[in-house]
Amino acid sequence: MNPGVNGGGDKARVPRPVRSNIRQASVIIPKTGQRLRRTVTLGISAGLTTPNASGPASENSPLLGGPNARPKPSDAPRRLLRAAQRICHNAFEFARSRTGKGILKCSIAYLLGSLATFVPAIAAMLGQQDGKHIVATITVYFHPARSQGSMFEAVVVAMVAFAYSAFIGFASMGTTIFFREIVNFVVIGHIIVLIVFCGGGLGLVGWIKQRMEHSLVNISCSLASLAIITLLTKEGAVQAARFSDDKVVQVLKMIVMGVIASTAVSFLIFPVSARTDLRENLISFTDSLSEVLASTTGCFLVGDEEEMKSPRYRTAMDKYKSRLADIEKNLVEARYEHYFAGTEGEFRLEAKLVDCMQRLAQNIGGLRSAATTQFLILAQPRLGLSTERRSGKVAVASLEVIDERPDICEGDPISKSALKGSTSSILTPGEVFAEFVEQLGPSIKSLAFTLREILDDLPFGPSPDYQFMIDTHYRSSLEAAVKLYSESRKVALSKIYNTNQLNKERSVDVEADFEEVAASCGVFSYALQDFATEMITYLDILDDLKLEIEERPNGRTWSWLKVWRRKQDIRSLEDTSSINTINQEANNLGAASNPGHRASPITASETHGPQMTHRYRLWKALAVFRRDDTKFAIKVGAGAALYALPSFLSATRPFYQRFRGEWGLLSYMLVCSMTIGASNTTGYARFLGTCIGAGCAIVAWELSGENPFALAAFGWFMSVWTAYIIVAQGKGPMGRFIMLTYNLSALYAYSRSVKDLDDDDEGGISPIITEITFHRTAAVLSGCVWGLIITRFIWPIKARQKLKDGLSVLWLRMGLLWKRRPMECRLQGKTSNAYMDLEEELQLHKFLAQLEKVRKSATSEVSLRGPFLDASYNRLLGSTGGMLDALHAMNAMILKETRLSPGEVAILKSTTSERAQLSLRITHLFQVMASSIKLEYPLTDALPSIDHTRDRLLAKVFSFRKEEKSAVISSDEDFALLYSYALVTGQISKAMKDIARELEILFGVLDEDIPKLH
């Protein structure tokens, strides 16, 4: 009896001796393919510890720095010199960094764009009309601190924006000319232009901006809005009902000049290639993937969650997630570079490679889910056991002294006596887990070691060559390692499940606990094997990519230029690349208010029976006008038409022109957002940026004395620090607003001072800078206020309510997914997509990402009900995301099983009743939570739990394994599908408990005082 456990206290506790035996296992060396028996080290301890930067502190180390803590007065100059040197060194390193180079490129591009105002020859090319400062503004909007592929994309969207604005302008001119010359009633033409082309055209621009949610698309929408507003409200041809292409040609010239300046700087000065970025991020991602794989595997084998909570592990996970997002972004940009270079075949293989990396990331998610579930199992209290066993100390103690046997090699005898001795004391789930790790540990560590060795070398060498680091033995070595792992796992599982202690009669709860341990260990082992299998596919794709780059069998192709073959090429591209998924994410935003397209609340009898009246058919046909994005487009167009109305009335047009109403209308278009919170945020940034830009313009104008060289120097300085705001801080709208106002004021004033304009407004050739900035600031303020009025009072969309409604719809949709009974779809012989296809899954994840943006917008809304509880809703979205990830893992498992084996069919049939009850219970809880957040009503404290239903399912699986497994000739692999199902339901159960706690924080608990009858 251990005195330390039975009352001896800490003094009587005997320290545990450190085991000196070497943990050996059969491993495959990737570079040689040799099978060796050696010590397997994943480097967990070394990789996850965070050493002190100053070194370890001894017991004699002073706490406050000792005698040197207080500097001497004579050291002050030396310290100042060191501080100055450190600042200079940091500034030099920042200037050498990619961000510093990008800021320099932005400033050079802006300086080139401002030459259209300062150089008379270039200014003469743009005519006598104002607006030449737009060339410099375009270099700010389409800045060169981006990759070459992104610049190609910027050129495309800029040209599309110009084509759209030119169409609106010419169509408006043609309409007014028609009504003046043919109908002889130009007022009707003005009304049509105001409603259809101004309201409808700008409303469509706002709708596209909200639908696409792409940074370059947003910029192009701003450019299109500026061109349309200038042509319709400022230029005067539409009001006079005459045809004039002067302004259209000027806008085209300015766009071409600005884009050429930015593109030239981007391509000639410190060029950045998206293809190079993709390779660098692939290298970084595989390194972080290797570290996360080794860390997660080690934490699972140790059975300690603290390792996964360490700062080093969290840093690796953050790097791993950020690199995955960067890879997807680089792939989109690299597409344009490949198309331009004629290397479409290389792009297709890179897209396949990225798709494979995403599947590897999903397998890592399965490993982490299994490990997290195991930690929860070991931490749960067990009823009916001693205090020591309930606390899990037995499990942890047994894990600390695990004797990892070598893998069973070919010809190695299985010692039954050793097995009997090792399993005779299995009593608790923790000890079952210890036995699993003891049997499976060596093979898991061996496979993880082989995978890590391969990942550390792949896929490319260092820059600038990026040579392929593919060894000829990698594939065969990995196949041998997978085969060895599969054989070792089968032997280990058979040894565990064939023990007498494990097959004894026990209560349902204990059997469920045992099977839950088996499920988590089984899912972890299967996920690790899936990861290795996917790595083989990864190696094959790398081989094909190496062949394509080095030999290029088909030569260079520009198939995208072959219009007659475009449909065929696009179809083949979508079938073979993951870029299809990225395009769908950008194009399927129509599901924002209704994620998924399957279930409809209207039954067949309601749509085809006698209740289907003409009024109902009309109501259903007009469903598109009840969508939030449609309402947003309508109200944006209506507000734009009302704001532009003074420019069409002869009595108010002078006032509109004097106070630069076109810039107020542009500000209105920029401020209008889907929700009130987003409009508040944009309006604040727009007005603050305008005030800062106006103040800087006044200072620059007064100090320069109308000298073009001084103004150019001031403009360059302005571009440097605003480029820092845009590129380094990521606050694009703020930096663009500042430079836009500066250009509108300072560059516009210079154009007037050199007699470049033919009117005497705002001082004429002696411009009054304060009057100019006042008119711009007043126009911007009026546009911001008008935008806030439209978004607040016309079909207001409150971010708080939209977030609650969105969570309610999302939870209802997830409940309907469980109502379909995912395993039953496969058991009935339906297709893999009968449960949830990839498109619906993509819509759910996209909808969740939109809710995250809505949450950020809700923080900017002001309400009398109190502040927005951002932390609670952030946790709600996090729990919902976890449930979606769990659904994705189960869906991936279902899609992978193309055909059920007889053993899987037998297992699923034996658990039909338990699975049906569990699915209905989960659906019920989803509906309860959706109703609570939709109605803002508290939950009852007597919510049904799915734990007992899930325990009955696990106990049924345990019973099947014990009684019926041999009768149906089922293997351990046949339990993988149901194990994944059990793991997912466990994660959903935990997430639902977390959501219930957050709903209690938000709305309280239902008691006798709340449901009062009035």
Side-chain angles (χ1 to χ4, degrees):
M1 182 176 296
N2 190 343
V5 175
N6 295 278
D10 295 336
K11 294 181 180 180
R13 188 182 301 275
V14 179
R16 185 181 303 278
V18 179
R19 297 184 64 89
S20 60
N21 61 306
I22 299 177
R23 303 184 177 192
Q24 291 186 341
S26 297
V27 298
I28 304 296
I29 305 301
K31 291 187 177 181
T32 61
Q34 293 180 320
R35 177 175 175 179
L36 303 177
R37 189 178 294 268
R38 54 170 289 184
T39 302
V40 177
T41 303
L42 297 179
I44 306 304
S45 299
L48 292 176
T49 56
T50 306
N52 190 356
S54 61
S58 65
E59 61 182 4
N60 297 324
S61 300
L63 296 177
L64 301 178
N68 297 325
R70 180 175 297 177
K72 298 179 180 180
S74 59
D75 293 338
R78 186 179 303 172
R79 288 188 292 108
L80 291 177
L81 179 61
R82 285 198 300 265
Q85 292 176 346
R86 185 170 58 254
I87 293 174
C88 293
H89 175 74
N90 294 337
F92 179 72
E93 291 299 324
F94 178 78
R96 293 177 56 190
S97 65
R98 179 167 176 174
T99 302
K101 293 177 180 178
I103 293 174
L104 177 62
K105 292 166 66 175
C106 291
S107 64
I108 295 175
Y110 177 82
L111 186 61
L112 293 177
S114 64
L115 296 181
T117 302
F118 296 127
V119 178
I122 302 178
M125 296 174 57
L126 300 177
Q128 293 297 316
Q129 296 175 325
D130 63 350
K132 300 178 181 63
H133 53 81
I134 295 180
V135 179
T137 303
I138 290 175
T139 62
V140 175
Y141 275 65
F142 297 98
H143 64 78
R146 60 178 83 244
S147 66
Q148 296 174 355
S150 182
M151 284 305 304
F152 285 133
E153 187 179 7
V155 172
V156 172
V157 297
M159 291 299 105
V160 171
F162 167 75
Y164 176 74
S165 58
F167 167 76
I168 294 294
F170 287 139
S172 301
M173 296 177 194
T175 301
T176 54
I177 292 173
F178 171 80
F179 278 94
R180 189 192 67 175
E181 300 293 339
I182 306 301
V183 183
N184 198 22
F185 197 33
V186 73
V187 176
I188 297 180
H190 288 166
I191 294 175
I192 293 176
V193 168
L194 194 62
I195 297 176
V196 176
F197 297 105
C198 184
L202 293 178
L204 181 61
V205 170
W207 181 81
I208 291 175
K209 183 173 68 173
Q210 295 297 324
R211 182 177 179 85
M212 300 299 291
E213 290 186 347
H214 189 278
S215 58
L216 283 177
V217 174
N218 293 343
I219 293 173
S220 65
C221 288
S222 301
L223 180 61
S225 300
L226 174 60
I228 291 173
I229 292 169
T230 302
L231 292 174
L232 298 188
T233 67
K234 179 184 178 182
E235 199 267 340
V238 175
Q239 287 77 4
R242 59 181 174 84
F243 182 83
S244 175
D245 61 350
D246 294 341
K247 196 63 180 180
V248 177
V249 173
Q250 186 197 32
V251 171
L252 175 60
K253 290 179 179 179
M254 290 188 295
I255 292 176
V256 171
M257 287 182 179
V259 170
I260 288 178
S262 291
T263 305
V265 172
S266 177
F267 281 39
L268 299 178
I269 302 176
F270 304 123
V272 177
S273 173
R275 292 173 291 179
T276 303
D277 288 346
L278 179 61
R279 296 192 178 188
E280 290 180 353
N281 285 321
L282 284 174
I283 296 172
S284 180
F285 179 74
T286 51
D287 291 342
S288 59
L289 193 68
S290 172
E291 185 174 357
V292 171
L293 172 66
S295 303
T296 305
T297 304
C299 294
F300 178 80
L301 295 178
V302 174
D304 187 7
E305 191 179 8
E306 294 301 322
E307 298 284 357
M308 295 181 67
K309 295 180 179 179
S310 64
R312 188 68 177 271
Y313 185 85
R314 290 197 299 268
T315 302
M317 281 301 303
D318 294 339
K319 180 181 178 182
Y320 153 82
K321 294 178 181 179
S322 63
R323 289 297 179 269
L324 184 60
D326 292 339
I327 286 173
E328 296 175 355
K329 174 178 175 290
N330 296 146
L331 181 63
V332 176
E333 296 176 356
R335 174 180 56 179
Y336 294 92
E337 296 183 12
H338 283 298
Y339 281 7
F340 184 80
T343 55
E344 295 155 300
E346 182 180 342
F347 165 71
R348 292 187 179 95
L349 291 174
E350 288 180 350
K352 283 186 177 181
L353 191 66
V354 172
D355 187 52
C356 185
M357 299 296 285
Q358 291 174 339
R359 292 195 297 270
L360 288 174
Q362 294 166 4
N363 290 325
I364 286 290
L367 292 174
R368 297 185 70 250
S369 298
T372 303
T373 302
Q374 190 59 60
F375 300 147
L376 294 176
I377 296 172
L378 297 178
Q380 289 177 357
R382 307 293 173 182
L383 298 177
L385 301 176
S386 64
T387 304
E388 180 184 0
R389 296 189 184 277
R390 288 200 304 268
S391 62
K393 293 180 180 179
V394 172
V396 175
S398 62
L399 290 179
E400 292 175 354
V401 297
I402 285 177
D403 182 11
E404 292 185 354
R405 302 188 188 92
D407 289 352
I408 304 299
C409 303
E410 297 178 3
D412 291 343
I414 301 176
S415 177
K416 295 183 179 180
S417 60
L419 175 63
K420 181 178 179 181
S422 64
T423 59
S424 59
S425 60
I426 296 179
L427 295 175
T428 66
E431 291 171 328
V432 174
F433 173 63
E435 184 64 22
F436 266 98
V437 173
E438 185 175 359
Q439 298 296 331
L440 291 173
S443 58
I444 289 177
K445 291 180 67 175
S446 300
L447 182 58
F449 171 81
T450 303
L451 290 170
R452 183 172 188 178
E453 290 292 310
I454 295 176
L455 286 171
D456 287 342
D457 288 340
L458 294 180
F460 306 105
S463 60
D465 297 330
Y466 294 105
Q467 296 181 355
F468 284 89
M469 306 297 294
I470 305 176
D471 194 278
T472 55
H473 296 91
Y474 278 171
R475 195 182 194 283
S476 58
S477 300
L478 189 54
E479 288 178 342
V482 172
K483 182 179 180 182
L484 176 63
Y485 173 76
S486 179
E487 294 174 353
S488 302
R489 187 187 64 192
K490 289 180 181 178
V491 173
L493 292 178
S494 63
K495 290 166 63 178
I496 295 174
Y497 291 126
N498 291 332
T499 58
N500 295 328
Q501 290 291 336
L502 194 61
N503 293 327
K504 286 184 178 181
E505 293 291 338
R506 290 182 175 87
S507 65
V508 174
D509 292 338
V510 176
E511 290 180 352
D513 291 337
F514 288 165
E515 201 60 38
E516 191 170 19
V517 173
S520 62
C521 294
V523 169
F524 189 92
S525 62
Y526 296 136
L528 186 61
Q529 184 172 356
D530 291 340
F531 186 93
T533 304
E534 196 63 42
M535 275 296 300
I536 296 176
T537 305
Y538 180 74
L539 292 174
D540 292 339
I541 298 174
L542 277 180
D543 284 333
D544 295 339
L545 183 60
K546 181 180 179 182
L547 176 65
E548 177 68 25
I549 293 177
E550 295 180 353
E551 300 183 11
R552 211 170 300 281
N554 299 324
R556 293 183 180 270
T557 59
W558 287 271
S559 300
W560 59 278
L561 292 175
K562 302 174 183 178
V563 182
W564 58 93
R565 296 182 53 187
R566 184 172 300 174
K567 292 184 179 179
Q568 179 181 356
D569 293 340
I570 292 176
R571 188 180 301 113
S572 63
L573 175 63
E574 291 179 351
D575 292 339
T576 58
S577 70
S578 67
I579 198 66
N580 182 37
T581 301
I582 301 174
N583 287 336
Q584 286 180 358
E585 290 184 357
N587 296 328
N588 287 338
L589 296 182
S593 59
N594 185 20
H597 60 279
R598 291 173 171 269
S600 174
I602 308 299
T603 61
S605 61
E606 292 173 331
T607 56
H608 299 287
Q611 298 179 356
M612 189 70 172
T613 62
H614 295 290
R615 293 174 58 187
Y616 176 75
R617 289 192 183 96
L618 178 61
W619 178 84
K620 189 175 182 181
L622 297 177
V624 65
F625 294 101
R626 294 190 295 272
R627 295 168 56 98
D628 285 342
D629 54 352
T630 306
K631 292 180 180 179
F632 172 76
I634 293 174
K635 71 179 183 181
V636 167
L642 290 176
Y643 195 96
L645 178 61
S647 67
F648 286 85
L649 302 178
S650 58
T652 56
R653 180 169 175 79
F655 178 83
Y656 180 90
Q657 290 180 322
R658 177 173 178 78
F659 280 88
R660 307 300 170 183
E662 67 273 10
W663 296 109
L665 184 54
L666 178 63
S667 299
Y668 161 81
M669 290 297 300
L670 297 177
V671 165
C672 282
S673 299
M674 182 70 75
T675 61
I676 297 175
S679 297
N680 293 340
T681 303
T682 308
Y684 171 77
R686 172 66 171 159
F687 183 71
L688 180 60
T690 299
C691 293
I692 295 176
C696 293
I698 294 175
V699 173
W701 182 259
E702 295 296 339
L703 294 180
S704 65
E706 303 182 14
N707 186 292
F709 297 99
L711 278 176
F714 274 111
W716 179 83
F717 176 76
M718 287 284 299
S719 66
V720 169
W721 72 274
T722 53
Y724 178 82
I725 296 175
I726 296 173
V727 178
Q729 296 183 345
K731 300 177 181 180
M734 176 64 73
R736 290 193 293 267
F737 292 156
I738 293 174
M739 288 306 299
L740 177 61
T741 306
Y742 177 84
N743 295 337
L744 283 173
S745 303
L747 300 188
Y748 173 82
Y750 179 79
S751 297
R752 286 199 165 278
S753 66
V754 296
K755 302 180 181 180
D756 206 8
L757 302 179
D758 54 0
D759 60 69
D760 296 330
D761 190 20
E762 297 174 329
I765 61 174
S766 299
I768 305 174
I769 190 64
T770 54
E771 184 178 353
I772 293 175
T773 55
F774 171 73
H775 289 166
R776 271 64 175 175
T777 305
V780 168
L781 179 60
S782 66
C784 293
V785 172
W786 182 244
L788 295 178
I789 291 175
I790 293 295
T791 55
R792 168 70 70 173
F793 297 105
I794 299 180
W795 287 324
I797 303 175
K798 298 180 180 179
R800 298 188 183 191
Q801 190 60 42
K802 188 176 179 63
L803 178 59
K804 297 173 185 176
D805 294 343
L807 280 172
S808 176
V809 172
L810 185 57
W811 290 343
L812 286 176
R813 173 59 60 184
M814 295 171 67
L816 290 177
L817 289 176
W818 280 98
K819 190 177 180 180
R820 297 172 191 167
R821 300 173 60 183
M823 297 300 172
E824 202 67 22
C825 296
R826 298 307 315 277
L827 189 59
Q828 295 175 359
K830 298 181 181 180
T831 61
S832 301
N833 293 332
Y835 163 57
M836 180 173 60
D837 57 22
L838 294 178
E839 182 180 358
E840 185 174 9
E841 181 181 349
L842 177 64
Q843 289 179 352
L844 292 173
H845 283 279
K846 188 64 182 179
F847 188 66
L848 180 63
Q850 289 179 339
L851 292 182
E852 180 65 29
K853 296 178 181 178
V854 173
R855 180 190 66 82
K856 295 179 180 179
S857 299
T859 58
S860 300
E861 289 185 354
V862 180
S863 176
L864 296 177
R865 300 179 60 181
F868 176 72
L869 299 180
D870 182 62
S872 294
Y873 282 101
N874 188 28
R875 289 190 290 266
L876 283 178
L877 292 175
S879 299
T880 305
M883 290 190 292
L884 281 181
D885 292 339
L887 286 174
H888 169 78
M890 186 173 64
N891 191 36
M893 196 73 179
I894 293 174
L895 293 175
K896 185 179 68 174
E897 297 289 339
T898 57
R899 187 174 183 180
L900 296 179
S901 65
E904 289 176 324
V905 173
I907 296 172
L908 292 179
K909 286 184 177 179
S910 66
T911 57
T912 300
S913 176
E914 290 77 9
R915 286 186 291 102
Q917 295 177 12
L918 185 57
S919 296
L920 292 177
R921 182 64 59 85
I922 293 175
T923 302
H924 176 216
L925 288 177
F926 270 122
Q927 292 176 348
V928 170
M929 294 188 305
S931 301
S932 174
I933 198 168
K934 174 70 175 179
L935 301 175
E936 301 183 10
Y937 217 67
L939 291 172
T940 177
D941 54 357
L943 280 177
S945 173
I946 66 176
D947 291 337
H948 297 297
T949 310
R950 182 169 174 270
D951 287 346
R952 287 195 294 270
L953 171 65
L954 293 172
K956 185 67 175 181
V957 177
F958 184 89
S959 176
F960 177 87
R961 183 191 299 279
K962 183 173 60 177
E963 300 174 0
E964 305 177 21
K965 177 180 177 182
S966 59
V968 298
I969 316 179
S970 61
S971 62
D972 295 310
E973 285 78 4
D974 295 333
F975 290 85
L977 189 60
L978 198 58
Y979 278 167
S980 178
Y981 179 85
L983 192 68
V984 168
T985 54
Q987 294 171 352
I988 288 181
S989 175
K990 179 182 180 300
M992 284 185 168
K993 294 177 182 177
D994 296 338
I995 290 176
R997 284 195 295 269
E998 296 302 329
L999 293 179
E1000 182 178 344
I1001 295 175
L1002 292 173
F1003 310 125
V1005 180
L1006 187 65
D1007 54 23
E1008 296 293 339
D1009 296 332
I1010 294 179
K1012 292 183 177 181
L1013 301 178
H1014 297 283

